[in-house]
């Protein structure tokens, strides 16, 4: 159903991105004993008390809600690691630090359902907010350098939710710049003012600059 | 043609352009609301919608002059501060019209001028659209194309903020919203 919520923009809504994020694996520590669970996506279990096992996030949340397990916070979600990442983000103005692809969604789900399983939850939460802010400001300042010559925009290490936010804006921007900047280089009258990219029968365009955010 | 069914294209082509007739036109006095005769003399200056002006230009019946939106006065204003110029009031299809008119008028500077204006306003728009606070003053100055860009960023940011504050994932379908009238006939209708 992705994209059907808004047919013109064809983006995912944030709940849809969250749904996709729930496939990520996390570690749980079951409280009860449970046999194997045979699902379409795979078999999980058998679960024994206090023996950690890896399950998808949706299953972990479901078990947690029924009081059958404790979720162990992922490694990247500790205060020290996040402090390191935040420092690194602040120091490099054009690069994004490698973070799990769905870190925003995973952290939100864990805060909601497993707040007693995370240490220093307020600190972790505020650190993740800060990291998110810094990264988004980097995206914005990088977008200012798009000009008509931009052929492609490369954003390395951007997470799923951040990509989803900027996707419609960036697509439209690139199309608008393509439309406005191309005919004046070749000095040909533009045939039609359509917003979609024209078929490549204009002849080779001069060498384009490719904007990449990490240098 | 990709632009044929595009609604914005159709609306844009309705913008008036001032033209000068190169030939006399018999019986076309209706085009000009202020003319007294039923014919149009050669050399008359009047406003026609773009689609008509374009077709007549192809037949070499009119010559098109530069629209007011691209005059020197507007150019000076945009060069002063592009973000504050009210393009929606002047011409909501500023950029598209410029792209289409440029080859007809033979003015090569319109293209770079449009690019300059767009780049300037885009920078301004970038910072404002993602802030997700109400900025109605700025958005009322944008052309149609720019405001679509603006709305796209604004709506995706608003959806993210709403999700972040913990909205429910299940939403009632909009089709169930209003009360529906009973369509079952209550009894046999009288002839």
């Amino acid at each position: 159903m992705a994209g059907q919520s808004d047919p013109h923009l064809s983006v995912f809504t944030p709940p849809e991105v969250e749904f996709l994020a729930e496939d990520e694996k996390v570690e749980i520590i079951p409280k009860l004993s449970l046999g194997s669970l045979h699902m379409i996506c795979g078999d999980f279990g058998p679960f024994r008390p206090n023996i950690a096992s890896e399950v998808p996030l949706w299953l972990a949340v479901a078990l947690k809600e029924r009081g059958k397990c404790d979720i162990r916070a992922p490694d990247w979600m500790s205060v020290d690691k996040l402090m390191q990442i935040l420092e690194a983000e602040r120091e490099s103005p054009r690069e994004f630090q490698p973070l799990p692809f769905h870190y925003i969604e995973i952290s939100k789900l864990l805060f909601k359902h497993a707040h007693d399983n995370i240490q220093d939850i307020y600190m972790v939460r505020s650190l993740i907010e800060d990291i998110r802010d810094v990264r988004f400001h980097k995206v914005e300042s990088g977008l200012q350098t798009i000009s008509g010559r931009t052929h492609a925009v490369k954003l390395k290490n951007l997470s799923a939710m951040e990509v989803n936010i900027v996707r419609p804006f960036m697509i439209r921007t690139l199309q608008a710049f393509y439309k406005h900047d191309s005919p004046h280089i070749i000095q040909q009258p533009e045939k039609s003012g359509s917003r979609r990219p024209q078929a490549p029968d204009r002849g080779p365009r001069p060498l384009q600059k490719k904007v990449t955010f990490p240098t | 043609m990709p632009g044929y069914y595009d609604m914005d294209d159709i609306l844009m082509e309705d913008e008036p352009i001032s033209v000068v007739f190169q030939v006399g036109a018999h019986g076309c006095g209706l085009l000009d609301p202020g003319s007294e005769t039923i014919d149009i003399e050669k050399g008359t200056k009047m406003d026609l919608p773009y689609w008509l002006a374009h077709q007549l230009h192809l037949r070499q019946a009119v010559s098109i002059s530069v629209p007011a939106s691209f005059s020197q006065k507007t150019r000076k204003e945009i060069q002063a501060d592009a973000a504050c110029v009210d393009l929606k009031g002047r011409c909501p299809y500023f950029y598209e019209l410029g792209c289409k008119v440029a080859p007809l008028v033979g003015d090569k500077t319109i293209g770079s001028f449009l690019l300059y204006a767009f780049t300037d306003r885009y920078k301004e728009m970038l910072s404002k659209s993602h802030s997700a606070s109400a900025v109605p003053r700025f958005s009322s100055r944008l052309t149609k194309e720019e405001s679509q860009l603006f709305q796209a960023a604004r709506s995706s940011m608003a959806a993210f903020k709403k999700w972040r504050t913990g909205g429910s994932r299940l939403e009632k379908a909009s089709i169930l919203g209003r009360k529906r009238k009973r369509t079952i006939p209550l009894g046999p209708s009288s002839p």
Side-chain angles (χ1 to χ4, degrees):
Chain A
M1 319 307 188
Q4 293 205 1
S5 26
D6 191 343
H8 296 295
L9 295 179
S10 67
V11 298
F12 294 91
T13 66
E16 283 165 356
V17 181
E18 186 185 26
F19 183 77
L20 293 173
E22 287 182 334
D23 274 337
E24 299 279 327
K25 297 278 202 290
V26 291
E27 278 213 343
I28 62 165
I29 302 168
K31 286 187 194 161
L32 309 175
S33 188
L34 208 58
S36 287
L37 293 171
H38 301 289
M39 312 268 183
I40 296 178
C41 56
D43 297 334
F44 308 112
F47 303 109
R48 301 279 167 258
N50 288 334
I51 300 199
S53 56
E54 221 182 37
V55 294
L57 187 57
W58 56 268
L59 185 55
V61 166
L63 289 176
K64 173 78 183 173
E65 279 181 349
R66 287 156 179 77
K68 291 201 192 320
C69 77
D70 275 331
I71 306 186
R72 195 153 79 185
D75 294 332
W76 55 268
M77 222 160 143
S78 65
V79 175
D80 305 319
K81 209 75 186 340
L82 288 174
M83 286 271 225
Q84 273 180 357
I85 293 180
L86 184 60
E87 286 304 316
E89 289 275 358
R90 285 192 174 138
E91 272 158 25
S92 51
R94 290 176 64 80
E95 273 189 20
F96 296 100
Q97 299 304 310
L99 269 176
F101 188 50
H102 291 282
Y103 78 97
I104 299 182
E105 299 92 81
I106 296 179
S107 58
K108 179 183 178 246
L109 280 168
L110 289 182
F111 290 146
K112 187 166 162 202
H113 295 280
H115 43 84
D116 46 345
N117 296 138
I118 305 175
Q119 299 185 350
D120 297 326
I121 187 170
Y122 296 112
M123 194 68 188
V124 170
R125 187 184 282 220
S126 76
L127 279 172
I128 289 191
E129 290 283 322
D130 289 340
I131 291 178
R132 205 169 46 80
D133 270 337
V134 169
R135 285 164 72 101
F136 198 71
H137 276 125
K138 276 194 212 171
V139 169
E140 274 189 9
S141 57
L143 280 181
Q144 293 208 347
T145 61
I146 293 184
S147 71
R149 303 290 195 124
T150 308
H151 210 144
V153 174
K154 180 172 163 191
L155 294 160
K156 204 168 153 202
N157 287 334
L158 206 59
S159 76
M161 187 60 76
E162 291 159 356
V163 165
N164 193 46
I165 294 177
V166 298
R167 187 186 294 129
F169 185 76
M170 202 179 283
I171 290 177
R172 290 232 163 101
T173 306
L174 285 174
Q175 281 176 346
F177 272 111
Y178 184 97
K179 194 179 79 157
H180 289 313
D181 208 9
S182 53
H184 318 299
I185 306 168
I186 313 182
Q187 292 287 326
Q188 271 176 19
E190 203 183 23
K191 291 192 185 66
S192 77
S194 154
R195 196 169 296 117
R196 284 177 222 119
Q198 307 274 351
D201 56 352
R202 299 163 169 268
R205 289 178 68 167
L207 198 60
Q208 302 282 328
K209 175 181 75 151
K210 189 165 100 158
V211 170
T212 59
F213 282 33
T215 42
Chain B
M1 270 184 287
Y4 190 72
Y5 290 107
D6 189 16
M7 189 53 68
D8 284 326
D9 241 7
I10 297 175
L11 289 173
M12 183 271 293
E13 298 209 330
D14 212 19
E15 294 279 331
I17 310 250
S18 77
V19 301
V20 175
F21 269 81
Q22 300 296 318
V23 298
H26 213 58
C28 288
L30 299 165
L31 284 178
D32 187 7
S35 85
E36 296 127 10
T37 64
I38 202 164
D39 300 333
I40 300 185
E41 302 288 316
K42 178 174 168 181
T44 324
K45 197 162 171 311
M46 71 162 76
D47 279 344
L48 292 179
Y50 169 80
W51 51 271
L52 191 53
H54 184 55
Q55 292 300 315
L56 292 177
H57 180 80
L58 289 177
R59 289 162 176 71
Q60 268 112 36
V62 301
S63 76
I64 302 190
S65 34
V66 179
S69 321
F70 307 103
S71 62
Q72 281 302 319
K73 178 166 166 264
T74 319
R75 285 188 204 219
K76 284 206 169 61
E77 276 184 30
I78 289 197
Q79 270 164 3
D81 186 0
C84 291
V85 176
D86 183 11
L87 283 184
K88 189 169 173 186
R90 275 169 219 265
C91 178
Y93 291 99
F94 187 68
Y95 299 105
E96 288 91 340
L97 200 59
C99 288
K100 293 227 169 162
V101 160
L104 301 178
V105 177
D107 188 357
K108 297 253 190 302
T109 57
I110 286 187
S112 43
F113 162 64
L114 285 182
L115 180 65
Y116 172 78
F118 183 69
T119 319
D120 244 2
R121 290 163 71 92
Y122 161 73
K123 287 200 173 75
E124 192 63 34
M125 203 179 3
L126 178 64
S127 51
K128 292 230 170 79
S129 65
H130 282 288
S131 67
S133 60
V135 270
R137 272 194 61 227
F138 177 70
S139 59
S140 62
R141 289 192 214 119
L142 301 172
T143 68
K144 199 81 185 350
E145 177 188 354
E146 287 171 342
S147 65
Q148 276 181 351
L149 201 60
F150 189 75
Q151 290 303 325
R154 170 65 61 85
S155 63
S156 77
M157 199 65 188
F160 171 70
K161 288 237 152 77
K162 182 174 162 212
W163 170 78
R164 199 162 57 90
T165 55
S168 159
R169 268 165 46 164
L170 300 172
E171 282 182 10
K172 195 169 164 197
S174 55
I175 199 171
L176 299 171
R178 41 195 173 94
K179 290 189 196 235
R180 290 177 292 182
K181 294 211 298 219
R182 292 170 58 94
T183 52
I184 312 167
L186 293 176
S189 53
S190 54

